[in-house]
Amino acid sequence: MSGIRVLDLSAYIAGPYGCTLLADQGAEVIKVEPPVGDNLRRYPSTLEAESRAFLGVNRSKRGVVLDLKQPGQRAVLMRLVREADVLVHNFRPSVPVRLGIDFESLHKLNPRLVYCSVTGYGEQGPLKEKAGYDQVLQTMTGMCTMQGKTGGAPEILYGSVVDYYAAALVAAGVSSALYERERSGEGQFVGVSLLRSALTMQSARMVWAEGEPAAVGRDMRSGGVTGIHPTADGYLYISANTPRFWQALCERIGRPELAADARYDTVRKRAAQAEVLLPQLHAALATRSALAWEALFGEEVPCAAARQVEDMFEHPQVQAEQMITSLPHPLLGSYRGITRPIVFGRTPGPEPFAAPVFDQDTAAVSALLDACSDD
């Protein structure tokens, strides 16, 4: 995406990380923050000088500050829009109209602009002005009840999965619109919402066949053997849904007779017989640690020992795939973080750089605008 300029007016995770994914692919991304900064900068963090969340979400961007409530500074944004290819924001639908930066207004100013709006619930409907947040949408759309144990309380899935999936939709939608622009010469509106993200993530559950009741079994978890289990030290996730993996599991734990038993020869039968099977599985797993079982199962049984996220920095597979890099930072000295979420064989893209400190590039971008005016 070299040569593509993106204006990132968004905050929190979904919009900003969508723009980061574009930056990873070579786009020049200018993050435009209000005078109070992106709210993510103020999130709890053990780093004194910066927010860990902000650093992780906003790599490879230039940072400027504009107060869009002030006509003079809004005019600066308009100058940037004239030279931009993409604009991304996460304002509620009425806000861009009030500020004069809605799609129709900016399309007149720059017909080639791809305009991406990230909302909580979409552009229409009774909830369109409601603020949307990841865990709120998880709770609303049934993810929490599916996450919780049967008969138990709903449980939040931490890690902002709805936000990050929405970010992927932002990058995909913008990329598609830019591709279409190559043929039509014209930009267009791209809408992404957390509601769409949360429901799209559950596409396998969001199927309601003609004639069946609404309340049917929609949980894809096969149950029984497939799941997280205790070991002598730590926990181990095992997936043994196929005949091959079920047989390999039984052999590795020293219970080959279970694989030969017709009562357990399908996933559904094993799930139905969980009360009989699990005590036998747990007794076998109690003889070794989770890491030892992971090594013993190798490639024969899909599994993983439950680790801390910190363990991933030095994991040999992560290192082999070069997923982590060290980024110089003016306040922290440097920090290690994720890079290159997508691998391109011929055009790997630019080297990543650290998320901007507040107001880092306002002067430089202003000089760039002045140079464009002189031209």
Side-chain angles (χ1 to χ4, degrees), residues 165-355:
Y165 189 65
L169 296 178
V170 167
V174 167
S175 297
S176 184
L178 288 170
Y179 179 75
E180 193 278 337
R181 191 183 72 171
E182 292 300 303
R183 292 177 290 182
S184 68
E186 188 172 359
Q188 63 178 298
F189 177 89
V190 175
V192 174
S193 73
L194 299 189
L195 176 60
R196 288 182 183 275
S197 174
L199 292 180
T200 300
M201 290 178 69
Q202 301 182 85
S203 292
R205 296 168 179 163
M206 292 291 293
V207 175
W208 188 355
E210 181 179 356
E212 71 172 346
V216 296
R218 300 180 187 277
D219 192 348
M220 290 181 59
R221 288 179 288 190
S222 48
V225 172
T226 295
I228 295 182
H229 304 285
T231 69
D233 181 13
Y235 288 83
L236 183 76
Y237 183 88
I238 297 172
S239 178
N241 290 333
T242 69
R244 170 195 166 189
F245 294 143
W246 168 238
Q247 181 174 353
L249 173 64
C250 294
E251 291 173 353
R252 291 295 195 280
I253 65 172
R255 297 295 305 276
E257 72 277 8
L258 294 177
D261 195 321
R263 293 175 299 174
Y264 314 132
D265 60 4
T266 70
V267 174
R268 291 186 179 184
K269 287 181 181 180
R270 292 193 288 275
Q273 296 292 327
E275 291 185 1
V276 177
L277 278 175
L278 289 185
Q280 301 178 69
L281 176 63
H282 291 171
L285 293 178
T287 61
R288 289 182 171 88
S289 70
L291 290 173
W293 281 116
E294 183 184 73
L296 179 63
F297 289 154
E299 298 178 4
E300 296 303 312
V301 180
C303 68
R307 292 172 168 82
Q308 300 293 327
V309 67
E310 292 82 3
D311 297 331
M312 290 294 95
F313 284 96
E314 303 295 341
H315 193 285
Q317 185 62 32
V318 174
Q319 291 288 322
E321 283 288 293
Q322 300 179 353
M323 298 181 190
I324 303 292
T325 191
S326 182
L327 303 174
H329 187 273
L331 300 180
L332 302 177
S334 68
Y335 65 90
R336 288 193 291 170
I338 289 291
T339 183
R340 303 193 192 286
I342 303 172
V343 175
F344 293 93
R346 185 172 54 82
T347 57
E351 290 298 316
F353 54 90

Side-chain angles (χ1 to χ4, degrees), residues 32-35 64-69 73-74 76-77 80 362:
V32 180
E33 297 182 67
V64 305
V65 173
L66 291 176
D67 185 354
L68 298 184
K69 296 178 181 178
Q73 297 196 37
R74 195 159 60 244
V76 175
L77 176 67
L80 285 169
T362 301

Side-chain angles (χ1 to χ4, degrees), residues 93-165:
S94 63
V95 174
V97 176
R98 187 165 67 246
L99 292 176
I101 59 170
D102 53 293
F103 170 71
E104 287 74 15
S105 299
L106 298 191
H107 183 68
K108 293 177 182 177
L109 184 65
N110 179 357
R112 288 177 55 82
L113 183 72
V114 171
Y115 182 104
C116 182
S117 170
V118 184
T119 59
Y121 301 87
E123 305 289 330
Q124 309 296 328
L127 299 181
K128 67 178 183 180
E129 292 297 322
K130 182 181 173 75
Y133 293 92
D134 184 290
Q135 287 81 22
V136 174
L137 270 298
Q138 283 190 41
T139 307
M140 173 185 175
T141 61
M143 294 180 70
C144 295
T145 54
M146 288 289 188
Q147 187 70 17
K149 296 179 180 178
T150 303
E155 295 181 9
I156 290 293
L157 180 60
Y158 290 99
S160 301
V161 292
V162 174
D163 278 335
Y164 279 103
Y165 189 65

